[in-house]
Amino acid sequence: MSIQIIPIKAFNDNYIWTLINKNNKQAIVIDPGQAQPVADYMEEHDLEMTSIWTTHHHFDHVGGVMELQEHFPMTHIVAHSEHGVEEDQTIKDGSTVSAWGCSAQVWDIPGHTASHMAYVLDIDGQKHCFCGDTLFSAGCGRVFTGTIEQLYESFKRLNSLPADTLLYPAHEYTANNLRFGLSIEPGNMAMQQALERAESQTQQGLCTLPVTLEHEREVNVFLRAHEPSVITGVKAKTNIDNEERLTVFTALRELKDNF
């Protein structure tokens, strides 16, 4: 199957991940917060948008859905019932959606919001996870309508994917997240190298994503809450009652909120 995955930039730092079937010039769009950049891309590349998938209800992820439906009236909307759009297929944990015969499993990964979903797409044995605002490269989403406990469990679930899984977060937050990570774990060479690379890419207007789960295990402090170096870094900045992973994870999120 010849599927290309490209980011369409929206707002200041959003990525609207787009799956393109090169054989039939069809496209599936994930989290279109803005309609115009998507419509422009479809026209420029002579593509037919056939489906929209959403991960959560925030405006910068669903704000362009209605307008795109007007542009492309045959578009099939895939969403959770709480995503605030008129979906054609209502998804929940365990649902399956299809991309031209390739199967995507729907995972419930709450925390950032209570009804946040991920799409784990298998293309020729390679997993591609569209994780919205739950996991960012070197970081995680703020807690809004979900809970920190949910976010922690969602990270555990995402961490159960194969190491070579490609992760597609929805924002370009990589460099800033790595700066925070280095404030906790200053001796992490993988983070230092990743920050140098991310800064170079962003200065050139290039996307730092996707990233592998294996990479994130080295540079994402929220996946490293069990590491002694992370625990030491947290203790240097705030008081924690114990060294349990959830306690450290919670402290990291609070520290990032004020970074």
Side-chain angles (χ1 to χ4, degrees), residues 223-239:
L223 286 172
R224 298 172 57 79
H226 61 289
E227 294 287 349
S229 52
V230 174
I231 296 169
T232 298
V234 168
K235 283 184 167 181
K237 293 182 175 294
T238 189
N239 293 320

Side-chain angles (χ1 to χ4, degrees), residues 133-146:
D133 286 2
T134 294
L135 180 148
F136 299 124
S137 185
C140 72
R142 287 178 180 265
V143 174
F144 287 102
T145 57

Side-chain angles (χ1 to χ4, degrees), residues 31 35 71 84 90 95 97 129 137 214 250:
D31 284 354
H71 276 287
T90 305
S95 296
V97 295
C129 178
S137 185
E214 183 176 29
T250 302

